[in-house]
């Protein structure tokens, strides 16, 4: 249904209920019937809390000292946040890294990094440094030599 049809239907229903006559508002009859409500409307400023007037605690918050206290609290909060942001951060010492072992030098990650940086020449240099660090190795090792080497005593 459109709005026009709804309004027309509502008008017809109202006219049927009000004996077919157009309703007219009678202010004097309303004043006599609802005297307390009419007096409340005329009172205006004497309305109870919750009728559109500010709450009594809101009147307290309008004082000059309260405004000053709120401004001081805002400034203190901003100061704490700014001091925390611009304060020097504690300097942590960088842990000393041991030079890479020969095994690390010939690992896949290390070799691929060397290749990316210097191509085949970089890869050859990396392998030469690992060989210098390891030194010549015998073709055969006894079990004792192997265990001694693994334990780091060799």
């Amino acid at each position: 249904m459109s709005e026009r049809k709804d309004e027309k239907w509502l008008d017809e229903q109202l006219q049927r209920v009000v004996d077919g006559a157009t309703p007219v508002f009678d202010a004097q009859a309303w004043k006599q019937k609802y005297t307390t409500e009419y007096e409340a409307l005329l009172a205006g400023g004497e309305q109870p809390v919750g009728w559109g007037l500010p709450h009594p605690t809101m009147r307290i918050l309008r004082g000059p000292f309260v405004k000053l206290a709120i401004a001081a609290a805002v400034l203190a909060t901003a100061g704490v946040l700014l001091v925390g942001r611009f304060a020097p951060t504690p300097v942590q010492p960088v842990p000393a890294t041991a030079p890479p072992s020969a095994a690390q030098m010939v690992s896949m990650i290390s070799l691929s990094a060397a290749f990316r940086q210097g191509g085949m020449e970089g890869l050859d240099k990396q392998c030469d440094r690992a060989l210098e660090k390891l030194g010549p190795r015998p073709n055969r090792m006894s079990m004792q030599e192997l265990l001694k080497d693994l334990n780091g005593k060799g």
Side-chain angles (χ1 to χ4, degrees), residues 99-131 133:
S101 67
Q104 289 173 338
M105 292 177 81
V106 292
S107 69
M108 193 62 182
I109 294 173
S110 179
L111 292 175
S112 63
F115 180 74
R116 273 188 255 120
Q117 288 178 355
M120 285 304 288
E121 290 177 16
L123 188 61
D124 286 340
K125 288 179 184 177
Q126 181 82 7
C127 290
D128 288 341
R129 277 188 265 141
L131 184 61
K133 197 170 228 184

Side-chain angles (χ1 to χ4, degrees), residues 69-79:
I70 291 172
V74 168
L75 287 175
T77 304

